[in-house]
Amino acid sequence: DIQMTQFPSSLSASVGDRVTITCRASQSISSNLNWYQQKPGKGPKLLIHAASSLQSGVPSRFSGSGSGTDFTLTISSLQPEDFATYSCQQSYSTPYTFGQGTKLEIK
Amino acid sequence: QVQLVESGGGVVQPGRSLRLSCAASGFTFSSYGMHWVRQAPGKGLEWVALIWYDGRNEVYADSVRGRFTVSRDNSENTMYLQMNSLRADDTAVYYCARDARYGSATLNAEYFEHWGQGTLVTVSS
């Protein structure tokens, strides 16, 4: 199975900050990497697919980059509604696997 | 708009069975693959199973293969997860998600495009 490692596991930031979350795969997954946002008590929401493609309706302050084994999710200017948990997921091969999540908290 | 609603969760004893349902609306259900993904309390997301759009193929995580069965009724726009021989480590919120995929010369992309709100399964004596 492909292992996905995210860091940091938690992050404190302020409104307006630029934030970057990193995800590393245990083997090359090309660009088969997706990012999700999850708020307490809710199902995940797709933000980015295929490493860098912004899902329709997602604000442009979210962006993704990377290929192979190393990927990043960047939020250019944090908004109050962005405080949530973010997870990466590889779709290169089954079983599909997720990172352990990064909890983004208000400083 | 796309809507996925899970139901059927609850408290069940170890070794017993439970069936979850995922009711879909707002799209042509029979055209899409569907997934089950779970999240144990305080833990990350874990993919559980995939069923093809026509129900002819299923793929399972090792942790549930042989105990869980995914199925669908395209006439009822509903997907199911039959869970047998339940264990304490199956305790989780179970989400259904709609598959999306596309291909190009350089990439075959696949992702979970829409998710439900989840249903909680607690396995405890």
Side-chain angles (χ1 to χ4, degrees), chain A residues 1 30-32 34 36 38 41-46 49-50 53 55 87 89 91 94-96 98 100, chain B residues 35 37 39 44-47 50 59 61-62 95 101-102 106-113 115-117:
Chain A
D1 298 1
S30 184
S31 296
N32 295 100
N34 308 309
Y36 302 88
Q38 189 175 19
K42 302 287 189 180
K45 173 187 175 183
L46 175 69
H49 55 90
S53 295
Q55 173 68 359
S87 298
Q89 174 248 332
S91 57
T94 58
Y96 305 118
F98 292 83
Q100 79 277 17
Chain B
H35 301 264
V37 178
Q39 187 168 37
L45 297 159
E46 180 189 16
W47 172 78
L50 159 66
V59 185
D62 286 347
Y95 298 99
R101 56 185 65 199
Y102 62 87
T106 56
L107 174 70
N108 289 318
E110 181 181 359
Y111 45 95
F112 308 135
E113 188 172 17
W115 298 67
Q117 295 282 74

mmCIF file of all heavy atoms in Angstrom, chain A residues 1 30-32 34 36 38 41-46 49-50 53 55 87 89 91 94-96 98 100, chain B residues 35 37 39 44-47 50 59 61-62 95 101-102 106-113 115-117:
data_model
loop_
_atom_site.group_PDB
_atom_site.id
_atom_site.type_symbol
_atom_site.label_atom_id
_atom_site.label_comp_id
_atom_site.label_asym_id
_atom_site.label_seq_id
_atom_site.Cartn_x
_atom_site.Cartn_y
_atom_site.Cartn_z
ATOM 1 N N ASP A 1 0.835 -1.193 0.000
ATOM 2 C CA ASP A 1 0.000 0.000 0.000
ATOM 3 C C ASP A 1 0.878 1.254 0.000
ATOM 4 O O ASP A 1 1.982 1.257 0.545
ATOM 5 C CB ASP A 1 -0.893 0.033 1.256
ATOM 6 C CG ASP A 1 -1.843 -1.137 1.338
ATOM 7 O OD1 ASP A 1 -1.819 -2.013 0.431
ATOM 8 O OD2 ASP A 1 -2.611 -1.196 2.319
ATOM 9 N N SER A 30 2.761 10.001 -9.524
ATOM 10 C CA SER A 30 2.532 10.935 -10.624
ATOM 11 C C SER A 30 1.832 12.177 -10.077
ATOM 12 O O SER A 30 2.309 12.769 -9.125
ATOM 13 C CB SER A 30 1.731 10.238 -11.731
ATOM 14 O OG SER A 30 1.582 11.078 -12.848
ATOM 15 N N SER A 31 0.702 12.550 -10.676
ATOM 16 C CA SER A 31 -0.068 13.690 -10.164
ATOM 17 C C SER A 31 -1.392 13.248 -9.569
ATOM 18 O O SER A 31 -2.332 14.037 -9.464
ATOM 19 C CB SER A 31 -0.312 14.707 -11.289
ATOM 20 O OG SER A 31 0.901 15.257 -11.743
ATOM 21 N N ASN A 32 -1.468 11.980 -9.158
ATOM 22 C CA ASN A 32 -2.717 11.414 -8.652
ATOM 23 C C ASN A 32 -2.903 11.730 -7.158
ATOM 24 O O ASN A 32 -2.960 10.833 -6.306
ATOM 25 C CB ASN A 32 -2.756 9.906 -8.886
ATOM 26 C CG ASN A 32 -2.789 9.569 -10.360
ATOM 27 O OD1 ASN A 32 -1.764 9.233 -10.950
ATOM 28 N ND2 ASN A 32 -3.949 9.680 -10.967
ATOM 29 N N ASN A 34 -5.076 14.274 -4.357
ATOM 30 C CA ASN A 34 -6.227 15.132 -4.135
ATOM 31 C C ASN A 34 -6.177 15.699 -2.721
ATOM 32 O O ASN A 34 -5.600 15.089 -1.820
ATOM 33 C CB ASN A 34 -7.514 14.324 -4.316
ATOM 34 C CG ASN A 34 -7.522 13.575 -5.636
ATOM 35 O OD1 ASN A 34 -7.283 14.144 -6.699
ATOM 36 N ND2 ASN A 34 -7.792 12.271 -5.579
ATOM 37 N N TYR A 36 -8.602 17.518 0.435
ATOM 38 C CA TYR A 36 -9.948 17.690 0.977
ATOM 39 C C TYR A 36 -9.891 18.562 2.232
ATOM 40 O O TYR A 36 -8.907 18.546 2.970
ATOM 41 C CB TYR A 36 -10.566 16.334 1.344
ATOM 42 C CG TYR A 36 -10.650 15.385 0.178
ATOM 43 C CD1 TYR A 36 -9.594 14.548 -0.130
ATOM 44 C CD2 TYR A 36 -11.779 15.350 -0.640
ATOM 45 C CE1 TYR A 36 -9.645 13.681 -1.219
ATOM 46 C CE2 TYR A 36 -11.847 14.492 -1.724
ATOM 47 C CZ TYR A 36 -10.775 13.662 -2.006
ATOM 48 O OH TYR A 36 -10.829 12.821 -3.085
ATOM 49 N N GLN A 38 -12.150 19.363 5.756
ATOM 50 C CA GLN A 38 -13.223 18.812 6.585
ATOM 51 C C GLN A 38 -13.434 19.659 7.823
ATOM 52 O O GLN A 38 -12.478 19.998 8.524
ATOM 53 C CB GLN A 38 -12.911 17.367 6.977
ATOM 54 C CG GLN A 38 -14.060 16.655 7.660
ATOM 55 C CD GLN A 38 -13.776 15.189 7.944
ATOM 56 O OE1 GLN A 38 -12.630 14.754 7.957
ATOM 57 N NE2 GLN A 38 -14.832 14.407 8.172
ATOM 58 N N GLY A 41 -18.015 17.484 12.278
ATOM 59 C CA GLY A 41 -19.362 16.991 12.073
ATOM 60 C C GLY A 41 -19.837 16.978 10.631
ATOM 61 O O GLY A 41 -21.006 16.667 10.365
ATOM 62 N N LYS A 42 -18.939 17.281 9.707
ATOM 63 C CA LYS A 42 -19.312 17.337 8.287
ATOM 64 C C LYS A 42 -18.495 16.341 7.471
ATOM 65 O O LYS A 42 -17.417 15.913 7.880
ATOM 66 C CB LYS A 42 -19.039 18.745 7.727
ATOM 67 C CG LYS A 42 -19.765 19.859 8.453
ATOM 68 C CD LYS A 42 -21.234 19.853 8.139
ATOM 69 C CE LYS A 42 -21.906 21.102 8.688
ATOM 70 N NZ LYS A 42 -23.358 21.111 8.384
ATOM 71 N N GLY A 43 -19.030 15.996 6.294
ATOM 72 C CA GLY A 43 -18.243 15.190 5.369
ATOM 73 C C GLY A 43 -17.165 16.038 4.711
ATOM 74 O O GLY A 43 -17.273 17.266 4.646
ATOM 75 N N PRO A 44 -16.098 15.391 4.229
ATOM 76 C CA PRO A 44 -15.041 16.144 3.540
ATOM 77 C C PRO A 44 -15.554 16.848 2.292
ATOM 78 O O PRO A 44 -16.562 16.454 1.691
ATOM 79 C CB PRO A 44 -14.024 15.054 3.180
ATOM 80 C CG PRO A 44 -14.269 13.960 4.168
ATOM 81 C CD PRO A 44 -15.756 13.981 4.396
ATOM 82 N N LYS A 45 -14.832 17.881 1.913
ATOM 83 C CA LYS A 45 -15.130 18.653 0.706
ATOM 84 C C LYS A 45 -13.888 18.651 -0.176
ATOM 85 O O LYS A 45 -12.787 18.941 0.294
ATOM 86 C CB LYS A 45 -15.496 20.092 1.086
ATOM 87 C CG LYS A 45 -15.662 21.038 -0.095
ATOM 88 C CD LYS A 45 -15.850 22.469 0.391
ATOM 89 C CE LYS A 45 -15.887 23.449 -0.769
ATOM 90 N NZ LYS A 45 -15.999 24.859 -0.308
ATOM 91 N N LEU A 46 -14.074 18.324 -1.446
ATOM 92 C CA LEU A 46 -12.951 18.304 -2.393
ATOM 93 C C LEU A 46 -12.497 19.723 -2.698
ATOM 94 O O LEU A 46 -13.307 20.587 -3.046
ATOM 95 C CB LEU A 46 -13.389 17.611 -3.683
ATOM 96 C CG LEU A 46 -12.374 17.602 -4.822
ATOM 97 C CD1 LEU A 46 -11.177 16.708 -4.479
ATOM 98 C CD2 LEU A 46 -13.032 17.148 -6.122
ATOM 99 N N HIS A 49 -7.954 18.506 -7.188
ATOM 100 C CA HIS A 49 -7.758 17.162 -7.730
ATOM 101 C C HIS A 49 -6.606 17.170 -8.719
ATOM 102 O O HIS A 49 -6.224 18.230 -9.247
ATOM 103 C CB HIS A 49 -9.038 16.599 -8.361
ATOM 104 C CG HIS A 49 -9.644 17.469 -9.417
ATOM 105 N ND1 HIS A 49 -9.319 17.371 -10.742
ATOM 106 C CD2 HIS A 49 -10.590 18.432 -9.339
ATOM 107 C CE1 HIS A 49 -10.019 18.234 -11.439
ATOM 108 N NE2 HIS A 49 -10.796 18.896 -10.606
ATOM 109 N N ALA A 50 -6.043 16.002 -8.944
ATOM 110 C CA ALA A 50 -4.894 15.869 -9.845
ATOM 111 C C ALA A 50 -3.788 16.856 -9.490
ATOM 112 O O ALA A 50 -3.204 17.503 -10.366
ATOM 113 C CB ALA A 50 -5.346 16.021 -11.300
ATOM 114 N N SER A 53 -5.422 20.960 -9.846
ATOM 115 C CA SER A 53 -6.667 21.427 -10.467
ATOM 116 C C SER A 53 -7.668 21.834 -9.400
ATOM 117 O O SER A 53 -8.078 21.002 -8.581
ATOM 118 C CB SER A 53 -7.263 20.333 -11.354
ATOM 119 O OG SER A 53 -6.412 20.058 -12.450
ATOM 120 N N GLN A 55 -11.026 22.540 -7.770
ATOM 121 C CA GLN A 55 -12.399 22.079 -7.956
ATOM 122 C C GLN A 55 -13.323 23.271 -8.167
ATOM 123 O O GLN A 55 -13.142 24.337 -7.551
ATOM 124 C CB GLN A 55 -12.844 21.248 -6.752
ATOM 125 C CG GLN A 55 -14.302 20.842 -6.733
ATOM 126 C CD GLN A 55 -14.675 19.841 -7.820
ATOM 127 O OE1 GLN A 55 -13.833 19.442 -8.624
ATOM 128 N NE2 GLN A 55 -15.921 19.414 -7.826
ATOM 129 N N SER A 87 -6.802 17.098 4.391
ATOM 130 C CA SER A 87 -6.254 15.757 4.159
ATOM 131 C C SER A 87 -5.895 15.580 2.694
ATOM 132 O O SER A 87 -6.634 16.013 1.814
ATOM 133 C CB SER A 87 -7.270 14.676 4.545
ATOM 134 O OG SER A 87 -7.586 14.734 5.912
ATOM 135 N N GLN A 89 -4.917 12.703 -0.378
ATOM 136 C CA GLN A 89 -5.345 11.344 -0.728
ATOM 137 C C GLN A 89 -4.746 10.978 -2.078
ATOM 138 O O GLN A 89 -4.798 11.770 -3.021
ATOM 139 C CB GLN A 89 -6.866 11.274 -0.810
ATOM 140 C CG GLN A 89 -7.425 9.953 -1.297
ATOM 141 C CD GLN A 89 -8.098 10.059 -2.662
ATOM 142 O OE1 GLN A 89 -8.617 11.109 -3.036
ATOM 143 N NE2 GLN A 89 -8.083 8.983 -3.434
ATOM 144 N N SER A 91 -4.767 8.667 -5.468
ATOM 145 C CA SER A 91 -5.661 7.852 -6.290
ATOM 146 C C SER A 91 -4.860 7.119 -7.364
ATOM 147 O O SER A 91 -5.400 6.733 -8.405
ATOM 148 C CB SER A 91 -6.746 8.725 -6.925
ATOM 149 O OG SER A 91 -6.161 9.766 -7.688
ATOM 150 N N THR A 94 -5.277 1.351 -5.835
ATOM 151 C CA THR A 94 -6.010 0.869 -4.664
ATOM 152 C C THR A 94 -5.079 0.024 -3.804
ATOM 153 O O THR A 94 -4.178 -0.637 -4.344
ATOM 154 C CB THR A 94 -7.230 0.028 -5.067
ATOM 155 O OG1 THR A 94 -6.809 -1.078 -5.875
ATOM 156 C CG2 THR A 94 -8.228 0.877 -5.830
ATOM 157 N N PRO A 95 -5.249 0.052 -2.492
ATOM 158 C CA PRO A 95 -6.254 0.818 -1.768
ATOM 159 C C PRO A 95 -5.925 2.310 -1.757
ATOM 160 O O PRO A 95 -4.779 2.693 -1.525
ATOM 161 C CB PRO A 95 -6.174 0.239 -0.355
ATOM 162 C CG PRO A 95 -4.756 -0.214 -0.221
ATOM 163 C CD PRO A 95 -4.367 -0.718 -1.577
ATOM 164 N N TYR A 96 -6.926 3.131 -2.036
ATOM 165 C CA TYR A 96 -6.728 4.570 -1.957
ATOM 166 C C TYR A 96 -6.385 4.922 -0.511
ATOM 167 O O TYR A 96 -7.006 4.409 0.411
ATOM 168 C CB TYR A 96 -7.997 5.304 -2.387
ATOM 169 C CG TYR A 96 -8.484 4.893 -3.749
ATOM 170 C CD1 TYR A 96 -9.731 4.302 -3.911
ATOM 171 C CD2 TYR A 96 -7.702 5.068 -4.872
ATOM 172 C CE1 TYR A 96 -10.182 3.910 -5.158
ATOM 173 C CE2 TYR A 96 -8.144 4.685 -6.131
ATOM 174 C CZ TYR A 96 -9.382 4.105 -6.261
ATOM 175 O OH TYR A 96 -9.827 3.713 -7.501
ATOM 176 N N PHE A 98 -5.122 7.963 2.523
ATOM 177 C CA PHE A 98 -5.152 9.353 2.927
ATOM 178 C C PHE A 98 -3.983 9.657 3.853
ATOM 179 O O PHE A 98 -3.493 8.777 4.568
ATOM 180 C CB PHE A 98 -6.448 9.649 3.704
ATOM 181 C CG PHE A 98 -7.707 9.582 2.889
ATOM 182 C CD1 PHE A 98 -8.337 8.372 2.645
ATOM 183 C CD2 PHE A 98 -8.284 10.740 2.387
ATOM 184 C CE1 PHE A 98 -9.509 8.308 1.911
ATOM 185 C CE2 PHE A 98 -9.461 10.683 1.655
ATOM 186 C CZ PHE A 98 -10.073 9.468 1.414
ATOM 187 N N GLN A 100 -2.788 11.625 7.338
ATOM 188 C CA GLN A 100 -3.439 11.602 8.656
ATOM 189 C C GLN A 100 -4.171 12.890 8.973
ATOM 190 O O GLN A 100 -4.887 12.959 9.979
ATOM 191 C CB GLN A 100 -2.401 11.289 9.748
ATOM 192 C CG GLN A 100 -1.532 12.458 10.160
ATOM 193 C CD GLN A 100 -0.354 12.692 9.236
ATOM 194 O OE1 GLN A 100 -0.296 12.209 8.109
ATOM 195 N NE2 GLN A 100 0.619 13.463 9.737
ATOM 196 N N HIS B 35 -18.167 5.088 -3.567
ATOM 197 C CA HIS B 35 -17.235 4.617 -2.543
ATOM 198 C C HIS B 35 -17.859 4.690 -1.158
ATOM 199 O O HIS B 35 -18.743 5.514 -0.907
ATOM 200 C CB HIS B 35 -15.986 5.501 -2.507
ATOM 201 C CG HIS B 35 -15.208 5.574 -3.764
ATOM 202 N ND1 HIS B 35 -14.109 4.785 -4.013
ATOM 203 C CD2 HIS B 35 -15.359 6.375 -4.851
ATOM 204 C CE1 HIS B 35 -13.597 5.090 -5.197
ATOM 205 N NE2 HIS B 35 -14.349 6.052 -5.732
ATOM 206 N N VAL B 37 -16.117 5.387 2.613
ATOM 207 C CA VAL B 37 -14.917 5.837 3.319
ATOM 208 C C VAL B 37 -15.307 5.989 4.786
ATOM 209 O O VAL B 37 -16.407 6.460 5.080
ATOM 210 C CB VAL B 37 -14.409 7.192 2.771
ATOM 211 C CG1 VAL B 37 -13.182 7.673 3.548
ATOM 212 C CG2 VAL B 37 -14.086 7.081 1.280
ATOM 213 N N GLN B 39 -14.119 6.958 9.048
ATOM 214 C CA GLN B 39 -13.237 7.752 9.901
ATOM 215 C C GLN B 39 -13.487 7.360 11.351
ATOM 216 O O GLN B 39 -14.547 7.671 11.906
ATOM 217 C CB GLN B 39 -13.485 9.245 9.690
ATOM 218 C CG GLN B 39 -12.513 10.153 10.394
ATOM 219 C CD GLN B 39 -12.651 11.581 9.913
ATOM 220 O OE1 GLN B 39 -13.749 12.066 9.626
ATOM 221 N NE2 GLN B 39 -11.532 12.289 9.817
ATOM 222 N N GLY B 44 -7.770 9.663 10.997
ATOM 223 C CA GLY B 44 -7.872 10.098 9.623
ATOM 224 C C GLY B 44 -8.876 9.277 8.829
ATOM 225 O O GLY B 44 -9.484 8.328 9.334
ATOM 226 N N LEU B 45 -9.032 9.648 7.581
ATOM 227 C CA LEU B 45 -9.967 8.972 6.694
ATOM 228 C C LEU B 45 -9.373 7.657 6.188
ATOM 229 O O LEU B 45 -8.173 7.557 5.929
ATOM 230 C CB LEU B 45 -10.295 9.881 5.509
ATOM 231 C CG LEU B 45 -11.003 11.181 5.885
ATOM 232 C CD1 LEU B 45 -10.841 12.220 4.792
ATOM 233 C CD2 LEU B 45 -12.471 10.920 6.184
ATOM 234 N N GLU B 46 -10.216 6.653 6.046
ATOM 235 C CA GLU B 46 -9.798 5.336 5.539
ATOM 236 C C GLU B 46 -10.776 4.900 4.451
ATOM 237 O O GLU B 46 -11.975 4.733 4.722
ATOM 238 C CB GLU B 46 -9.763 4.302 6.654
ATOM 239 C CG GLU B 46 -9.339 2.916 6.163
ATOM 240 C CD GLU B 46 -9.514 1.828 7.214
ATOM 241 O OE1 GLU B 46 -10.220 2.049 8.218
ATOM 242 O OE2 GLU B 46 -8.965 0.728 7.015
ATOM 243 N N TRP B 47 -10.286 4.688 3.255
ATOM 244 C CA TRP B 47 -11.124 4.176 2.175
ATOM 245 C C TRP B 47 -11.503 2.725 2.480
ATOM 246 O O TRP B 47 -10.672 1.938 2.932
ATOM 247 C CB TRP B 47 -10.377 4.272 0.857
ATOM 248 C CG TRP B 47 -11.069 3.608 -0.273
ATOM 249 C CD1 TRP B 47 -12.124 4.087 -0.992
ATOM 250 C CD2 TRP B 47 -10.777 2.310 -0.803
ATOM 251 N NE1 TRP B 47 -12.501 3.164 -1.944
ATOM 252 C CE2 TRP B 47 -11.688 2.069 -1.851
ATOM 253 C CE3 TRP B 47 -9.837 1.340 -0.492
ATOM 254 C CZ2 TRP B 47 -11.680 0.901 -2.599
ATOM 255 C CZ3 TRP B 47 -9.819 0.172 -1.226
ATOM 256 C CH2 TRP B 47 -10.736 -0.047 -2.269
ATOM 257 N N LEU B 50 -15.180 0.302 -3.113
ATOM 258 C CA LEU B 50 -15.605 0.958 -4.363
ATOM 259 C C LEU B 50 -16.496 -0.007 -5.120
ATOM 260 O O LEU B 50 -16.222 -1.215 -5.177
ATOM 261 C CB LEU B 50 -14.381 1.288 -5.213
ATOM 262 C CG LEU B 50 -14.570 1.514 -6.729
ATOM 263 C CD1 LEU B 50 -15.409 2.768 -6.985
ATOM 264 C CD2 LEU B 50 -13.225 1.591 -7.422
ATOM 265 N N VAL B 59 -14.191 -3.330 -5.227
ATOM 266 C CA VAL B 59 -12.825 -3.389 -4.696
ATOM 267 C C VAL B 59 -12.917 -3.052 -3.215
ATOM 268 O O VAL B 59 -13.682 -2.155 -2.826
ATOM 269 C CB VAL B 59 -11.890 -2.389 -5.415
ATOM 270 C CG1 VAL B 59 -10.453 -2.571 -4.926
ATOM 271 C CG2 VAL B 59 -11.963 -2.570 -6.926
ATOM 272 N N ALA B 61 -10.840 -2.622 0.769
ATOM 273 C CA ALA B 61 -9.648 -2.530 1.600
ATOM 274 C C ALA B 61 -9.408 -3.882 2.265
ATOM 275 O O ALA B 61 -10.353 -4.629 2.555
ATOM 276 C CB ALA B 61 -9.834 -1.452 2.660
ATOM 277 N N ASP B 62 -8.141 -4.180 2.519
ATOM 278 C CA ASP B 62 -7.803 -5.457 3.160
ATOM 279 C C ASP B 62 -8.501 -5.615 4.507
ATOM 280 O O ASP B 62 -8.870 -6.730 4.900
ATOM 281 C CB ASP B 62 -6.292 -5.552 3.374
ATOM 282 C CG ASP B 62 -5.533 -5.808 2.075
ATOM 283 O OD1 ASP B 62 -6.183 -6.160 1.061
ATOM 284 O OD2 ASP B 62 -4.297 -5.649 2.084
ATOM 285 N N TYR B 95 -18.865 7.320 5.530
ATOM 286 C CA TYR B 95 -19.303 8.250 4.499
ATOM 287 C C TYR B 95 -19.451 7.519 3.164
ATOM 288 O O TYR B 95 -18.635 6.643 2.838
ATOM 289 C CB TYR B 95 -18.271 9.352 4.288
ATOM 290 C CG TYR B 95 -18.003 10.232 5.479
ATOM 291 C CD1 TYR B 95 -16.902 10.027 6.305
ATOM 292 C CD2 TYR B 95 -18.841 11.302 5.789
ATOM 293 C CE1 TYR B 95 -16.634 10.837 7.388
ATOM 294 C CE2 TYR B 95 -18.589 12.128 6.879
ATOM 295 C CZ TYR B 95 -17.489 11.886 7.665
ATOM 296 O OH TYR B 95 -17.246 12.704 8.741
ATOM 297 N N ARG B 101 -13.771 10.723 -12.419
ATOM 298 C CA ARG B 101 -12.504 10.382 -13.053
ATOM 299 C C ARG B 101 -12.482 10.924 -14.470
ATOM 300 O O ARG B 101 -13.511 11.087 -15.105
ATOM 301 C CB ARG B 101 -12.271 8.873 -13.051
ATOM 302 C CG ARG B 101 -13.354 8.040 -13.696
ATOM 303 C CD ARG B 101 -13.069 6.556 -13.533
ATOM 304 N NE ARG B 101 -13.110 6.117 -12.151
ATOM 305 C CZ ARG B 101 -12.568 4.994 -11.714
ATOM 306 N NH1 ARG B 101 -11.937 4.187 -12.540
ATOM 307 N NH2 ARG B 101 -12.658 4.654 -10.437
ATOM 308 N N TYR B 102 -11.278 11.228 -14.923
ATOM 309 C CA TYR B 102 -11.087 11.645 -16.300
ATOM 310 C C TYR B 102 -9.672 11.288 -16.696
ATOM 311 O O TYR B 102 -8.813 11.052 -15.847
ATOM 312 C CB TYR B 102 -11.361 13.140 -16.458
ATOM 313 C CG TYR B 102 -10.452 14.050 -15.670
ATOM 314 C CD1 TYR B 102 -9.232 14.483 -16.162
ATOM 315 C CD2 TYR B 102 -10.830 14.471 -14.393
ATOM 316 C CE1 TYR B 102 -8.409 15.312 -15.418
ATOM 317 C CE2 TYR B 102 -10.010 15.298 -13.642
ATOM 318 C CZ TYR B 102 -8.805 15.726 -14.165
ATOM 319 O OH TYR B 102 -7.988 16.543 -13.433
ATOM 320 N N THR B 106 -1.531 12.197 -20.426
ATOM 321 C CA THR B 106 -0.482 12.115 -19.403
ATOM 322 C C THR B 106 -1.001 11.766 -18.015
ATOM 323 O O THR B 106 -0.216 11.515 -17.110
ATOM 324 C CB THR B 106 0.253 13.465 -19.316
ATOM 325 O OG1 THR B 106 -0.707 14.490 -19.055
ATOM 326 C CG2 THR B 106 0.991 13.765 -20.606
ATOM 327 N N LEU B 107 -2.299 11.735 -17.824
ATOM 328 C CA LEU B 107 -2.803 11.547 -16.464
ATOM 329 C C LEU B 107 -4.182 10.912 -16.490
ATOM 330 O O LEU B 107 -5.029 11.295 -17.284
ATOM 331 C CB LEU B 107 -2.890 12.904 -15.744
ATOM 332 C CG LEU B 107 -3.532 12.895 -14.362
ATOM 333 C CD1 LEU B 107 -2.630 12.187 -13.352
ATOM 334 C CD2 LEU B 107 -3.829 14.302 -13.912
ATOM 335 N N ASN B 108 -4.368 9.942 -15.606
ATOM 336 C CA ASN B 108 -5.713 9.435 -15.321
ATOM 337 C C ASN B 108 -6.065 9.884 -13.907
ATOM 338 O O ASN B 108 -5.487 9.393 -12.938
ATOM 339 C CB ASN B 108 -5.766 7.910 -15.420
ATOM 340 C CG ASN B 108 -5.658 7.444 -16.859
ATOM 341 O OD1 ASN B 108 -6.268 8.016 -17.763
ATOM 342 N ND2 ASN B 108 -4.882 6.406 -17.089
ATOM 343 N N ALA B 109 -6.957 10.833 -13.807
ATOM 344 C CA ALA B 109 -7.296 11.399 -12.501
ATOM 345 C C ALA B 109 -8.542 10.731 -11.946
ATOM 346 O O ALA B 109 -9.460 10.367 -12.685
ATOM 347 C CB ALA B 109 -7.530 12.893 -12.620
ATOM 348 N N GLU B 110 -8.567 10.554 -10.647
ATOM 349 C CA GLU B 110 -9.743 10.018 -9.963
ATOM 350 C C GLU B 110 -9.824 10.663 -8.587
ATOM 351 O O GLU B 110 -8.798 10.860 -7.933
ATOM 352 C CB GLU B 110 -9.660 8.499 -9.822
ATOM 353 C CG GLU B 110 -10.877 7.897 -9.145
ATOM 354 C CD GLU B 110 -10.794 6.397 -8.979
ATOM 355 O OE1 GLU B 110 -9.791 5.798 -9.407
ATOM 356 O OE2 GLU B 110 -11.736 5.819 -8.412
ATOM 357 N N TYR B 111 -11.019 10.971 -8.155
ATOM 358 C CA TYR B 111 -11.177 11.617 -6.852
ATOM 359 C C TYR B 111 -12.585 11.420 -6.355
ATOM 360 O O TYR B 111 -13.474 10.965 -7.079
ATOM 361 C CB TYR B 111 -10.837 13.113 -6.934
ATOM 362 C CG TYR B 111 -11.420 13.833 -8.118
ATOM 363 C CD1 TYR B 111 -12.616 14.524 -8.027
ATOM 364 C CD2 TYR B 111 -10.740 13.839 -9.340
ATOM 365 C CE1 TYR B 111 -13.144 15.189 -9.119
ATOM 366 C CE2 TYR B 111 -11.273 14.495 -10.440
ATOM 367 C CZ TYR B 111 -12.466 15.174 -10.329
ATOM 368 O OH TYR B 111 -12.980 15.829 -11.412
ATOM 369 N N PHE B 112 -12.794 11.736 -5.072
ATOM 370 C CA PHE B 112 -14.101 11.658 -4.423
ATOM 371 C C PHE B 112 -14.728 13.049 -4.518
ATOM 372 O O PHE B 112 -14.368 13.938 -3.763
ATOM 373 C CB PHE B 112 -13.957 11.219 -2.975
ATOM 374 C CG PHE B 112 -13.144 9.962 -2.793
ATOM 375 C CD1 PHE B 112 -12.180 9.885 -1.808
ATOM 376 C CD2 PHE B 112 -13.345 8.856 -3.597
ATOM 377 C CE1 PHE B 112 -11.434 8.725 -1.628
ATOM 378 C CE2 PHE B 112 -12.606 7.698 -3.427
ATOM 379 C CZ PHE B 112 -11.641 7.632 -2.442
ATOM 380 N N GLU B 113 -15.650 13.201 -5.454
ATOM 381 C CA GLU B 113 -16.118 14.550 -5.798
ATOM 382 C C GLU B 113 -17.181 15.080 -4.841
ATOM 383 O O GLU B 113 -17.225 16.268 -4.555
ATOM 384 C CB GLU B 113 -16.657 14.572 -7.224
ATOM 385 C CG GLU B 113 -16.993 15.964 -7.727
ATOM 386 C CD GLU B 113 -17.348 15.978 -9.192
ATOM 387 O OE1 GLU B 113 -17.656 14.912 -9.752
ATOM 388 O OE2 GLU B 113 -17.334 17.083 -9.778
ATOM 389 N N TRP B 115 -19.522 14.106 -1.151
ATOM 390 C CA TRP B 115 -19.580 13.281 0.055
ATOM 391 C C TRP B 115 -20.901 13.494 0.779
ATOM 392 O O TRP B 115 -21.483 14.574 0.728
ATOM 393 C CB TRP B 115 -18.462 13.661 1.018
ATOM 394 C CG TRP B 115 -17.070 13.461 0.528
ATOM 395 C CD1 TRP B 115 -16.436 14.127 -0.484
ATOM 396 C CD2 TRP B 115 -16.114 12.553 1.058
ATOM 397 N NE1 TRP B 115 -15.152 13.676 -0.624
ATOM 398 C CE2 TRP B 115 -14.915 12.714 0.313
ATOM 399 C CE3 TRP B 115 -16.129 11.615 2.091
ATOM 400 C CZ2 TRP B 115 -13.764 11.978 0.576
ATOM 401 C CZ3 TRP B 115 -14.984 10.868 2.354
ATOM 402 C CH2 TRP B 115 -13.818 11.055 1.602
ATOM 403 N N GLY B 116 -21.321 12.470 1.504
ATOM 404 C CA GLY B 116 -22.444 12.633 2.400
ATOM 405 C C GLY B 116 -21.991 13.164 3.749
ATOM 406 O O GLY B 116 -20.810 13.474 3.947
ATOM 407 N N GLN B 117 -22.934 13.238 4.680
ATOM 408 C CA GLN B 117 -22.652 13.751 6.023
ATOM 409 C C GLN B 117 -22.180 12.650 6.956
ATOM 410 O O GLN B 117 -21.656 12.955 8.040
ATOM 411 C CB GLN B 117 -23.907 14.405 6.609
ATOM 412 C CG GLN B 117 -24.356 15.636 5.862
ATOM 413 C CD GLN B 117 -23.509 16.849 6.198
ATOM 414 O OE1 GLN B 117 -22.356 16.976 5.766
ATOM 415 N NE2 GLN B 117 -24.058 17.757 6.973
#
